[in-house]
Amino acid sequence: MNGNVLLTNALSFRYTRNLVDSGNGKFNLMILCWGEGHGSSIHDHTDSHCFMKILQGNLKETLFEWPEKKGNGEMVKKSERVLRENQCAYINDSIGLHRVENISHTESAVSLHLYSPPFDSCNTFDQRTGHKHKVKMTFYSKFGERTLCATAVPQENN
Amino acid sequence: AVRSPRPEAWGRAAASRGRRAARRLVLSPRRLAGPLPAGLAQWFPALEELDVSGTGLAELGAELLALPRLRTLLAKNNRLGGPGSLPKGLAQAPLGRSLRVLNLSGNRFAEVPPALLGLRGLQSLSLGGNRLHGIPPDIQELRSLEFLYLGGNFITSIPPELANLPSLSYLVLCDNKIQSIPPQLAQLHSLRSLSLHNNLLTYLPREILNLVHLEELSLRGNPLVVRFVRDLTYNPPSLQELAGRTIKTRNVPYAPSDLPENLVRYLSLASNCPNPKCGGVYFDSCVRQIKFVDFCGKYRLPLMHYLCSPECSSPCSSASQSSTSQSESDSEDEASVAARRMQKVLLG
């Protein structure tokens, strides 16, 4: 699928999640389209495996430690890297939390994501305090068709 | 679309009837040996979109001016930025009226080129990843602007005139050196998305709550004040101020004939303390104070308030209360208003 088609069709205020295949309920395969400067919150992966491949452009991934139970301080960065075209990454909750961002101000980016088992909610974290908040995740499009209610519930992350 | 013709083949391409009707010309990302040819508008009169990104151009010249239908000009990642990067008379030419989208990101502009400020039909402007140190007040001339991308520059402040853009919906100021947001930005009633991450902000003006259509606000990577801050600066009020406050709060009657004209004028300038539980007023002497507001029950954002005195921070506060208190009961009214109005905050 050409990510450019998804990117040029509409000016979205943030990155879009576009479902490609729901694999008999065993996994979700989706394409994320990131405009210049778009980034996700820090989030977890609800006990699922998460694979990511860069199809176009570059994405920066910053890994964070889980905050302390009663944590009320700045979250701890573990590492960061820039993933280039065709590079792959993997994460699950035992590895940690991450934020993914397109830090380019000139190029958009497209990534392919595989989650198994599929999940539609996760936690987002405030970097300054470690405070977490559960959010529902929505799709901008499914199987090539624009979803109608995508703007009603805030999209949160990948 | 016509794709990347070699310069020497342009004459041949233009001669073919099919090519003369071309609406989209993509020269990106092939490096061009020199500037765009002078005959461009003659060869491709129907052109609506021109992409010269990554071609190494150091200037866009008069060859563009006669393209009467050009709506989109993409010139990212070039060597533009010096004087004469954009053609003179840009705003007055046919191109100046037709142009809707202009992308100059990834170039070397140290200032917003004055030539483009006359593009009254421009809807989308990107100057991301340049070397801008500021935004000119005349940005307000771009009356049709809906999308403005200025991320990745060296901008230190935002002119209040930016708020005069009536259609601005999407404003990106991330990755700059901005220390404060002018409260006038709250007048951008059409604003749906505001990107401020990775700047030098310690607080926001409380007026930001007035942006009722704002769906997204990104603030991560700013040194936002986390703990309650009292009394950033407070000069004790003058005797004149104290007398003025007493007259106002006690409703002491006076007529213009009772006082010198300058004092009558002074008394008319009284501002009401924004604390809803305080009936006080202030003139010149006010307290700048940080107050935290919860958005969506999720994050506490520090907003700057002007209050009539240090004692006026909250109804149950007194001199004895801890100055590091983080919860404020009088922020609940504010918080519910904020939660309704601000649907999404990206703080992460």
Side-chain angles (χ1 to χ4, degrees), chain B residues 260-340:
Chain B
E261 194 193 306
N262 63 313
L263 289 181
V264 174
R265 212 177 319 121
Y266 179 81
L267 286 171
S268 71
L269 295 174
S271 303
N272 288 314
C273 179
N275 181 350
K277 296 176 173 94
C278 168
V281 299
Y282 64 92
F283 294 86
D284 307 307
S285 174
C286 60
V287 179
R288 287 165 54 226
Q289 197 165 76
I290 303 284
K291 188 164 145 175
F292 290 91
V293 179
D294 279 321
F295 286 105
C296 318
K298 194 172 158 184
Y299 301 115
R300 300 179 68 79
L301 286 192
L303 302 185
M304 182 65 92
H305 287 264
Y306 291 86
L307 298 164
C308 65
S309 81
E311 281 67 52
C312 203
S313 55
S314 78
C316 51
S317 86
S318 62
S320 59
Q321 200 162 50
S322 163
S323 64
T324 58
S325 161
Q326 277 203 33
S327 88
E328 300 177 59
S329 55
D330 71 334
S331 74
E332 270 163 32
D333 292 339
E334 196 93 39
S336 57
V337 167
R340 266 187 276 119

Coordinates of all heavy atoms in Angstrom, one line a residue, chain B residues 260-340:
Chain B
P260 N -8.5 65.8 40.6 CA -7.7 66.1 39.3 C -8.0 65.1 38.2 O -8.3 63.9 38.5 CB -6.3 66.1 39.8 CG -6.3 66.1 41.3 CD -7.6 65.5 41.7
E261 N -8.0 65.6 37.0 CA -8.4 64.7 35.9 C -7.5 63.5 35.8 O -8.1 62.4 35.5 CB -8.2 65.6 34.6 CG -8.8 65.0 33.4 CD -8.3 65.7 32.1 OE1 -8.4 66.9 32.1 OE2 -7.8 65.0 31.2
N262 N -6.3 63.5 36.1 CA -5.4 62.3 36.0 C -5.9 61.3 37.0 O -5.8 60.1 36.7 CB -3.9 62.7 36.2 CG -3.6 63.2 37.6 OD1 -4.3 64.1 38.1 ND2 -2.6 62.7 38.2
L263 N -6.4 61.7 38.2 CA -6.8 60.7 39.1 C -8.1 60.1 38.7 O -8.4 58.9 39.0 CB -6.9 61.3 40.5 CG -5.5 61.6 41.2 CD1 -5.7 62.2 42.5 CD2 -4.6 60.4 41.2
V264 N -9.0 60.9 38.1 CA -10.3 60.4 37.6 C -10.0 59.3 36.6 O -10.6 58.2 36.6 CB -11.1 61.5 37.0 CG1 -12.4 60.9 36.4 CG2 -11.5 62.5 38.1
R265 N -9.0 59.6 35.7 CA -8.7 58.6 34.7 C -8.1 57.3 35.3 O -8.4 56.2 34.9 CB -7.6 59.2 33.7 CG -7.8 58.7 32.3 CD -6.8 59.4 31.3 NE -6.7 60.8 31.6 CZ -5.5 61.5 31.8 NH1 -4.4 60.8 32.0 NH2 -5.5 62.8 32.0
Y266 N -7.2 57.6 36.3 CA -6.6 56.4 37.0 C -7.6 55.5 37.6 O -7.6 54.3 37.5 CB -5.7 57.0 38.1 CG -5.0 55.9 38.9 CD1 -3.8 55.3 38.4 CD2 -5.5 55.6 40.2 CE1 -3.2 54.4 39.2 CE2 -4.8 54.6 40.9 CZ -3.7 54.0 40.4 OH -3.0 53.1 41.2
L267 N -8.7 56.1 38.2 CA -9.7 55.3 38.9 C -10.5 54.5 37.9 O -11.0 53.4 38.2 CB -10.6 56.2 39.7 CG -10.0 56.7 41.0 CD1 -11.0 57.7 41.6 CD2 -9.8 55.6 42.0
S268 N -10.6 55.0 36.6 CA -11.3 54.3 35.6 C -10.6 53.0 35.1 O -11.2 52.2 34.4 CB -11.7 55.2 34.5 OG -10.5 55.5 33.7
L269 N -9.3 52.9 35.4 CA -8.5 51.8 34.9 C -8.5 50.6 35.8 O -7.7 49.7 35.5 CB -7.1 52.3 34.6 CG -6.9 53.4 33.6 CD1 -5.5 53.8 33.5 CD2 -7.3 52.8 32.2
A270 N -9.3 50.6 36.8 CA -9.2 49.5 37.8 C -9.6 48.2 37.1 O -10.5 48.1 36.3 CB -10.2 49.7 38.9
S271 N -8.8 47.1 37.3 CA -9.1 45.8 36.8 C -9.6 44.9 38.0 O -9.1 45.0 39.1 CB -7.8 45.2 36.3 OG -7.2 46.0 35.3
N272 N -10.5 44.1 37.6 CA -11.1 43.2 38.6 C -10.2 42.0 38.8 O -9.7 41.4 37.9 CB -12.5 42.7 38.2 CG -13.5 43.8 38.3 OD1 -13.5 44.5 39.3 ND2 -14.2 44.0 37.2
C273 N -10.0 41.6 40.0 CA -9.2 40.5 40.3 C -9.9 39.2 39.7 O -11.1 39.0 40.0 CB -9.0 40.3 41.8 SG -8.1 38.8 42.3
P274 N -9.2 38.4 39.0 CA -9.9 37.3 38.3 C -10.3 36.2 39.3 O -11.0 35.3 38.9 CB -8.8 36.8 37.3 CG -7.5 37.3 37.8 CD -7.8 38.5 38.6
N275 N -9.8 36.2 40.5 CA -10.2 35.2 41.4 C -11.7 35.5 41.7 O -12.1 36.5 42.2 CB -9.5 35.4 42.7 CG -9.9 34.4 43.8 OD1 -10.9 33.7 43.6 ND2 -9.1 34.3 44.9
P276 N -12.6 34.5 41.3 CA -14.0 34.7 41.4 C -14.5 34.9 42.8 O -15.6 35.4 43.0 CB -14.6 33.5 40.8 CG -13.6 32.4 40.8 CD -12.3 33.2 40.8
K277 N -13.7 34.5 43.8 CA -14.2 34.6 45.2 C -13.6 35.8 45.8 O -13.8 36.0 47.0 CB -13.8 33.3 45.9 CG -14.5 32.1 45.3 CD -14.1 30.8 45.9 CE -15.0 29.7 45.4 NZ -14.4 29.0 44.2
C278 N -12.9 36.7 45.1 CA -12.4 37.9 45.6 C -13.0 39.1 44.9 O -13.1 39.1 43.7 CB -10.9 37.9 45.5 SG -10.2 39.5 45.8
G279 N -13.5 40.0 45.6 CA -14.1 41.2 44.9 C -13.1 42.3 44.7 O -13.5 43.4 44.4
G280 N -11.9 42.0 44.9 CA -10.8 43.0 44.8 C -10.6 43.6 43.5 O -10.9 43.0 42.4
V281 N -9.9 44.7 43.4 CA -9.5 45.3 42.2 C -8.0 45.6 42.3 O -7.4 45.7 43.4 CB -10.2 46.6 41.8 CG1 -11.7 46.3 41.7 CG2 -10.0 47.7 42.9
Y282 N -7.3 45.8 41.2 CA -5.9 46.3 41.2 C -5.7 47.2 40.0 O -6.4 47.2 39.0 CB -5.0 45.1 41.2 CG -5.0 44.3 39.9 CD1 -4.1 44.6 38.8 CD2 -5.9 43.2 39.7 CE1 -4.2 43.9 37.6 CE2 -5.9 42.5 38.6 CZ -5.1 42.8 37.5 OH -5.1 42.1 36.4
F283 N -4.7 48.0 40.2 CA -4.3 49.0 39.1 C -3.1 48.6 38.4 O -3.1 47.9 37.4 CB -4.3 50.4 39.7 CG -5.6 50.9 40.2 CD1 -6.1 50.6 41.4 CD2 -6.4 51.6 39.3 CE1 -7.3 51.1 41.9 CE2 -7.7 52.1 39.7 CZ -8.1 51.8 41.0
D284 N -1.9 48.9 39.0 CA -0.7 48.6 38.4 C 0.0 47.4 39.1 O 0.8 46.7 38.5 CB 0.3 49.7 38.4 CG -0.3 51.0 37.8 OD1 -0.8 50.9 36.7 OD2 -0.3 52.0 38.5
S285 N -0.3 47.3 40.4 CA 0.4 46.3 41.2 C -0.4 45.0 41.2 O -1.4 45.0 41.8 CB 0.6 46.9 42.6 OG 1.2 45.9 43.4
C286 N 0.1 44.0 40.6 CA -0.6 42.7 40.6 C 0.4 41.6 40.8 O 1.6 41.8 40.6 CB -1.4 42.5 39.4 SG -0.5 42.6 37.9
V287 N -0.1 40.5 41.2 CA 0.8 39.4 41.4 C 0.7 38.4 40.2 O -0.4 38.1 39.8 CB 0.3 38.6 42.7 CG1 1.2 37.4 42.9 CG2 0.3 39.5 43.9
R288 N 1.8 38.1 39.7 CA 1.8 37.1 38.7 C 1.9 35.7 39.4 O 2.9 35.5 40.1 CB 3.0 37.3 37.7 CG 2.7 38.5 36.8 CD 4.0 38.9 36.1 NE 4.6 37.8 35.4 CZ 5.9 37.5 35.5 NH1 6.7 38.2 36.2 NH2 6.4 36.5 34.8
Q289 N 1.0 34.9 39.1 CA 1.1 33.6 39.9 C 0.7 32.5 39.0 O -0.1 32.6 38.1 CB 0.0 33.7 41.0 CG 0.2 32.7 42.1 CD -0.6 33.1 43.3 OE1 -1.8 32.9 43.2 NE2 0.0 33.6 44.3
I290 N 1.4 31.4 39.3 CA 1.1 30.2 38.5 C 0.0 29.4 39.1 O 0.0 29.1 40.3 CB 2.4 29.3 38.5 CG1 3.6 30.1 37.9 CG2 2.1 28.0 37.7 CD1 3.6 30.3 36.4
K291 N -1.0 29.0 38.4 CA -2.1 28.2 38.9 C -2.2 27.0 38.0 O -2.1 27.1 36.8 CB -3.3 29.1 38.8 CG -4.5 28.5 39.5 CD -5.6 29.6 39.7 CE -6.9 29.0 39.5 NZ -8.0 30.0 39.8
F292 N -2.4 25.9 38.7 CA -2.5 24.7 37.9 C -3.9 24.3 37.5 O -4.8 24.4 38.3 CB -1.8 23.5 38.7 CG -0.4 23.7 38.8 CD1 0.2 24.4 39.9 CD2 0.5 23.2 37.8 CE1 1.6 24.5 39.9 CE2 1.8 23.4 37.9 CZ 2.4 24.0 39.0
V293 N -4.1 23.9 36.3 CA -5.4 23.5 35.8 C -5.3 22.1 35.3 O -4.4 21.7 34.6 CB -5.9 24.4 34.7 CG1 -7.2 24.0 34.2 CG2 -5.9 25.8 35.2
D294 N -6.2 21.3 35.7 CA -6.3 19.9 35.2 C -7.0 19.9 33.8 O -8.1 20.4 33.7 CB -7.1 19.0 36.1 CG -6.2 18.5 37.3 OD1 -5.0 18.3 37.0 OD2 -6.7 18.5 38.4
F295 N -6.4 19.3 32.8 CA -7.0 19.1 31.6 C -7.5 17.6 31.4 O -6.7 16.7 31.6 CB -6.1 19.5 30.4 CG -5.9 20.9 30.3 CD1 -4.8 21.5 30.7 CD2 -6.9 21.7 29.8 CE1 -4.6 22.9 30.6 CE2 -6.8 23.1 29.7 CZ -5.6 23.7 30.1
C296 N -8.7 17.4 31.1 CA -9.3 16.1 30.9 C -9.0 15.2 32.1 O -8.8 14.0 31.9 CB -8.6 15.5 29.6 SG -8.5 16.6 28.2
G297 N -8.8 15.8 33.2 CA -8.5 15.0 34.4 C -7.2 14.3 34.3 O -6.9 13.3 35.0
K298 N -6.3 14.8 33.4 CA -5.2 14.0 33.0 C -3.9 14.7 33.4 O -3.0 14.1 34.1 CB -5.2 13.8 31.5 CG -4.3 12.8 30.9 CD -4.7 12.6 29.5 CE -3.5 12.1 28.7 NZ -3.9 12.0 27.2
Y299 N -3.8 15.9 33.1 CA -2.5 16.6 33.3 C -2.8 17.9 34.0 O -3.8 18.5 33.9 CB -1.8 17.0 32.0 CG -1.5 15.7 31.2 CD1 -2.1 15.5 30.0 CD2 -0.6 14.8 31.7 CE1 -1.8 14.4 29.2 CE2 -0.3 13.7 30.9 CZ -0.9 13.5 29.7 OH -0.6 12.4 29.0
R300 N -1.8 18.4 34.8 CA -1.9 19.7 35.5 C -1.0 20.6 34.7 O 0.2 20.4 34.6 CB -1.4 19.5 36.9 CG -2.3 18.5 37.7 CD -1.7 18.4 39.1 NE -1.9 19.6 39.9 CZ -3.1 20.0 40.4 NH1 -4.1 19.2 40.3 NH2 -3.2 21.1 41.1
L301 N -1.6 21.6 34.1 CA -0.8 22.6 33.4 C -0.7 23.9 34.1 O -1.7 24.4 34.7 CB -1.5 22.9 32.0 CG -1.5 21.9 31.0 CD1 -2.0 22.4 29.7 CD2 -0.1 21.3 30.8
P302 N 0.5 24.5 34.2 CA 0.6 25.7 34.9 C 0.2 26.9 34.0 O 0.7 27.1 32.9 CB 2.1 25.8 35.1 CG 2.7 25.0 34.0 CD 1.7 24.0 33.6
L303 N -0.8 27.7 34.4 CA -1.2 28.8 33.7 C -0.9 30.1 34.6 O -0.9 30.1 35.8 CB -2.8 28.8 33.5 CG -3.3 27.6 32.7 CD1 -4.7 27.7 32.4 CD2 -2.5 27.4 31.4
M304 N -0.6 31.1 33.9 CA -0.2 32.4 34.5 C -1.5 33.2 34.8 O -2.3 33.5 34.0 CB 0.7 33.2 33.6 CG 1.2 34.4 34.3 SD 2.2 34.1 35.7 CE 3.8 34.1 35.0
H305 N -1.6 33.6 36.1 CA -2.8 34.5 36.5 C -2.2 35.8 37.0 O -1.2 35.9 37.6 CB -3.5 33.8 37.6 CG -4.4 32.6 37.1 ND1 -5.7 32.7 36.8 CD2 -4.0 31.4 36.9 CE1 -6.1 31.5 36.4 NE2 -5.1 30.7 36.5
Y306 N -3.1 36.8 36.9 CA -2.8 38.1 37.5 C -3.8 38.2 38.6 O -5.0 38.2 38.4 CB -2.9 39.2 36.5 CG -1.8 39.2 35.5 CD1 -1.9 38.4 34.3 CD2 -0.6 39.9 35.7 CE1 -0.8 38.3 33.4 CE2 0.4 39.8 34.8 CZ 0.3 39.1 33.7 OH 1.3 39.0 32.8
L307 N -3.3 38.3 39.9 CA -4.2 38.5 41.0 C -3.9 39.7 41.7 O -2.8 40.3 41.6 CB -4.0 37.2 41.9 CG -4.4 35.9 41.3 CD1 -3.9 34.8 42.1 CD2 -5.9 35.8 41.1
C308 N -4.8 40.2 42.6 CA -4.7 41.5 43.2 C -3.6 41.5 44.3 O -3.1 42.5 44.7 CB -6.0 42.1 43.6 SG -6.8 41.2 45.0
S309 N -3.4 40.4 44.9 CA -2.4 40.3 46.0 C -1.9 38.9 46.2 O -2.6 38.0 45.8 CB -3.0 40.9 47.3 OG -3.7 39.9 47.9
P310 N -0.8 38.7 46.9 CA -0.3 37.4 47.2 C -1.3 36.6 48.0 O -1.3 35.4 47.9 CB 1.0 37.6 47.9 CG 1.4 39.0 47.7 CD 0.1 39.8 47.4
E311 N -2.1 37.3 48.8 CA -3.1 36.5 49.6 C -4.3 36.0 48.8 O -5.1 35.3 49.3 CB -3.6 37.5 50.8 CG -2.6 37.6 51.9 CD -1.3 38.3 51.5 OE1 -1.5 39.4 50.9 OE2 -0.2 37.8 51.7
C312 N -4.3 36.4 47.6 CA -5.6 36.2 46.8 C -5.5 34.9 46.0 O -6.2 34.7 45.1 CB -5.8 37.4 45.9 SG -7.6 37.5 45.4
S313 N -4.6 34.0 46.3 CA -4.4 32.9 45.4 C -5.6 31.9 45.4 O -5.9 31.3 44.4 CB -3.1 32.1 45.7 OG -3.1 31.8 47.0
S314 N -6.2 31.7 46.6 CA -7.3 30.7 46.7 C -8.1 31.1 47.9 O -7.6 31.7 48.8 CB -6.8 29.3 46.7 OG -6.4 29.0 48.0
P315 N -9.4 30.7 47.9 CA -10.2 31.1 49.0 C -9.8 30.6 50.3 O -10.0 31.2 51.4 CB -11.6 30.5 48.6 CG -11.3 29.5 47.7 CD -10.1 29.9 46.9
C316 N -9.1 29.4 50.4 CA -8.8 28.9 51.7 C -7.3 29.0 51.9 O -6.7 28.4 52.8 CB -9.1 27.4 51.8 SG -8.5 26.4 50.4
S317 N -6.6 29.8 51.1 CA -5.2 30.0 51.3 C -5.0 31.1 52.3 O -5.8 32.1 52.4 CB -4.4 30.3 50.0 OG -4.5 31.7 49.8
S318 N -3.9 31.0 53.1 CA -3.6 32.1 54.0 C -2.1 32.1 54.1 O -1.4 31.3 53.5 CB -4.2 31.9 55.4 OG -3.7 30.7 55.9
A319 N -1.5 33.1 54.8 CA -0.1 33.2 54.8 C 0.5 31.9 55.4 O 1.7 31.6 55.2 CB 0.3 34.4 55.7
S320 N -0.3 31.2 56.2 CA 0.3 30.1 56.9 C 0.3 28.8 56.0 O 0.9 27.8 56.3 CB -0.5 29.8 58.2 OG -1.8 29.5 57.8
Q321 N -0.4 28.9 54.9 CA -0.5 27.6 54.1 C 0.8 27.3 53.4 O 1.6 28.2 53.0 CB -1.6 27.8 53.1 CG -2.1 26.4 52.6 CD -3.4 26.5 51.9 OE1 -3.6 27.4 51.1 NE2 -4.4 25.7 52.3
S322 N 1.1 26.1 53.2 CA 2.4 25.7 52.6 C 2.5 26.2 51.2 O 1.6 26.2 50.4 CB 2.4 24.1 52.5 OG 3.4 23.7 51.6
S323 N 3.7 26.8 50.9 CA 3.9 27.4 49.6 C 4.2 26.3 48.6 O 4.4 26.6 47.4 CB 5.0 28.4 49.7 OG 6.2 27.7 50.0
T324 N 4.2 25.1 49.0 CA 4.5 24.0 48.0 C 3.2 23.2 47.7 O 3.3 22.2 47.2 CB 5.6 23.1 48.4 OG1 5.3 22.5 49.6 CG2 6.9 23.9 48.5
S325 N 2.1 23.7 48.2 CA 0.8 23.0 48.0 C 0.5 22.8 46.5 O 0.7 23.8 45.8 CB -0.3 23.7 48.7 OG -1.5 23.3 48.2
Q326 N 0.2 21.7 46.1 CA -0.1 21.5 44.7 C -1.6 21.5 44.4 O -2.0 21.6 43.3 CB 0.5 20.2 44.2 CG 1.9 20.4 43.8 CD 2.4 19.3 42.8 OE1 1.6 18.9 42.0 NE2 3.6 18.9 43.0
S327 N -2.4 21.2 45.4 CA -3.9 21.1 45.1 C -4.5 22.4 45.5 O -4.3 22.9 46.6 CB -4.5 19.9 45.7 OG -4.9 20.2 47.0
E328 N -5.4 22.9 44.7 CA -6.1 24.2 45.0 C -7.5 24.0 44.7 O -8.0 23.7 43.6 CB -5.5 25.3 44.1 CG -4.1 25.5 44.2 CD -3.5 26.6 43.3 OE1 -4.0 27.7 43.4 OE2 -2.7 26.3 42.5
S329 N -8.3 24.2 45.7 CA -9.7 24.0 45.6 C -10.4 24.9 44.6 O -11.3 24.6 43.9 CB -10.4 24.1 47.0 OG -10.2 25.3 47.5
D330 N -9.9 26.1 44.5 CA -10.5 27.0 43.6 C -10.2 26.8 42.2 O -10.7 27.4 41.3 CB -10.2 28.5 44.0 CG -8.8 28.9 43.6 OD1 -8.0 28.0 43.6 OD2 -8.5 30.0 43.4
S331 N -9.3 25.8 41.9 CA -9.1 25.4 40.5 C -10.1 24.5 40.0 O -10.1 24.2 38.8 CB -7.7 24.8 40.4 OG -7.7 23.5 40.9
E332 N -11.1 24.1 40.8 CA -12.0 23.1 40.3 C -13.0 23.8 39.3 O -13.2 23.2 38.3 CB -12.9 22.6 41.4 CG -12.2 21.3 42.0 CD -12.7 20.9 43.4 OE1 -13.9 21.2 43.6 OE2 -12.0 20.4 44.2
D333 N -13.4 25.0 39.6 CA -14.3 25.7 38.6 C -13.6 25.8 37.2 O -14.1 25.4 36.2 CB -14.6 27.1 39.0 CG -15.5 27.1 40.2 OD1 -16.2 26.0 40.5 OD2 -15.6 28.1 41.0
E334 N -12.3 26.2 37.4 CA -11.5 26.4 36.2 C -11.3 25.1 35.5 O -11.3 25.0 34.3 CB -10.2 27.0 36.7 CG -9.3 27.6 35.7 CD -9.5 29.1 35.6 OE1 -9.7 29.8 36.6 OE2 -9.4 29.5 34.5
A335 N -11.1 24.0 36.3 CA -10.7 22.7 35.7 C -11.9 22.2 34.9 O -11.7 21.6 33.9 CB -10.3 21.8 36.8
S336 N -13.1 22.4 35.5 CA -14.2 21.8 34.7 C -14.4 22.5 33.4 O -14.8 21.9 32.4 CB -15.5 21.7 35.6 OG -15.8 23.1 36.0
V337 N -14.2 23.8 33.5 CA -14.3 24.6 32.2 C -13.2 24.1 31.3 O -13.5 23.9 30.1 CB -14.1 26.1 32.5 CG1 -13.9 26.9 31.2 CG2 -15.3 26.7 33.2
A338 N -12.0 24.0 31.8 CA -10.9 23.6 30.9 C -11.2 22.2 30.4 O -10.9 21.9 29.2 CB -9.6 23.6 31.8
A339 N -11.7 21.3 31.2 CA -11.9 19.9 30.7 C -12.9 19.9 29.6 O -12.8 19.1 28.6 CB -12.4 19.0 31.8
R340 N -13.9 20.7 29.7 CA -14.9 20.8 28.6 C -14.3 21.3 27.3 O -14.6 20.9 26.2 CB -16.1 21.6 29.0 CG -17.3 20.9 29.6 CD -18.5 21.8 29.8 NE -18.4 22.5 31.1 CZ -18.4 23.8 31.2 NH1 -18.4 24.6 30.1 NH2 -18.3 24.5 32.3

